[in-house]
Every structure is written in C-alpha cells, then in structure tokens.
Amino acid sequence: MKQKEHYFEALAYLRDYCLHHGRLMHFSHGDIFEAEGAAARLFGYIESGSFRYLVRNYEGGESTVETVAAGNLVGCYPYCLDGDAAPTSLVAVVPSAVYVVDGADLERHYRQSQAAERMGRDFMAYRLGQVKSHIYSRYCKKGVRDV
C-alpha cells in the first residue's frame, strides 16, 4: 500500500512538473506522440483527450496495450529520459491537449535533486508493477501458470 501512496505523490509531482515546464501541444485523432522503434523523447500530462499504447503483434497487426486519458501522464517512460527506442507507439484516440516536456530535460532535473530523482524512481517502480500484474493476469486467463 505504501508503494501506491508513493506513486500518487510521484504522479502529482510529475504532473506539476509538466504543467510548469511543458509546452501545450495539440494532437488530432491518429496523431503519433511516439513511434515504436524510434528514439523516445517526449513525456507529458494529458489535459484533455486520450492515447493508446500500441505494439506490433505476432500477426503483423497492432494491439492496444493500454489506453490513458485526461489526468494521466503519457510517454514511453523511462525510455524518454535517455532517448532509447520506444517499445510502443502512442497514438491519439481523440483530439488531445498535452503539456509536453523533453525527456532529456526531465532527466537533467532528476540529477539536480535527490527528492526529484526519488519521485521518478517511485513512478517507474509502480508502473512496472502494474505491467507485471497485467502480464500475470493475461497468462492466468489463458490457463498458463508459468511465466
């Protein structure tokens, strides 16, 4: 439970960072926020609208991994901090407004403050826990017990 409290604190911190340091960008339906395989560089707070995280599936199509809406953060975190290849594409579902920051700027911010760096670490730890839980539940639904 404590991890969840830290996550909400980190979420508020990152939201405020985006609101104070980001630039407001508008995305139309179908616009790409990040492209799978390209260098991830953006991170933002969704003021309005929503985005899908898409991955290429084994059949050659795309599958939605997650959808995030207004009030949430969007970006290929932590990949955007170092410009690593984005593991997913992020695509606007509807017209959306996002306060966007450059991931490299956020990484520099983390290096200036231990408290800020802890917020980034707490956000990442909780999100990775969510992904792991999602994977476990998918395998259990299919009857697979070993992951």
Side-chain angles (χ1 to χ4, degrees):
M1 192 61 145
K2 190 169 187 157
Q3 186 184 34
K4 195 169 191 174
E5 291 172 20
H6 285 281
Y7 170 72
F8 287 120
E9 184 181 340
L11 181 65
Y13 181 87
L14 290 168
R15 177 199 65 220
D16 290 345
Y17 181 85
C18 291
L19 288 171
H20 290 97
H21 300 282
R23 65 188 186 283
L24 184 61
M25 294 180 68
H26 297 275
F27 297 85
S28 298
H29 167 74
D31 283 353
I32 297 172
F33 187 85
E34 292 283 15
E36 182 179 355
R41 58 184 183 79
L42 303 177
F43 185 73
Y45 172 74
I46 305 171
E47 181 179 73
S48 64
S50 61
F51 289 82
R52 282 194 182 122
Y53 285 73
L54 301 170
V55 294
R56 293 189 196 291
N57 60 35
Y58 63 92
E59 297 171 335
E62 291 183 320
S63 295
T64 299
V65 176
E66 180 181 16
T67 301
V68 291
N72 288 294
L73 298 169
V74 64
C76 291
Y77 191 92
Y79 304 92
C80 66
L81 301 177
D82 295 323
D84 292 337
T88 63
S89 291
L90 285 78
V91 179
V93 177
V94 295
S96 303
V98 182
Y99 283 91
V100 177
V101 296
D102 186 272
D105 290 340
L106 183 56
E107 174 66 17
R108 280 189 287 281
H109 175 71
Y110 286 160
R111 291 182 185 173
Q112 295 174 0
S113 161
Q114 284 185 338
E117 193 269 337
R118 182 183 63 82
M119 292 296 176
R121 213 175 41 240
D122 288 347
F123 177 74
M124 184 170 54
Y126 188 78
R127 291 290 289 150
L128 289 175
Q130 287 179 317
V131 169
K132 186 176 178 181
S133 175
H134 178 73
I135 290 169
Y136 285 163
S137 68
R138 278 187 93 170
Y139 275 96
C140 289
K141 286 178 185 174
K142 290 183 177 183
V144 176
R145 298 287 181 229
D146 296 325
V147 178

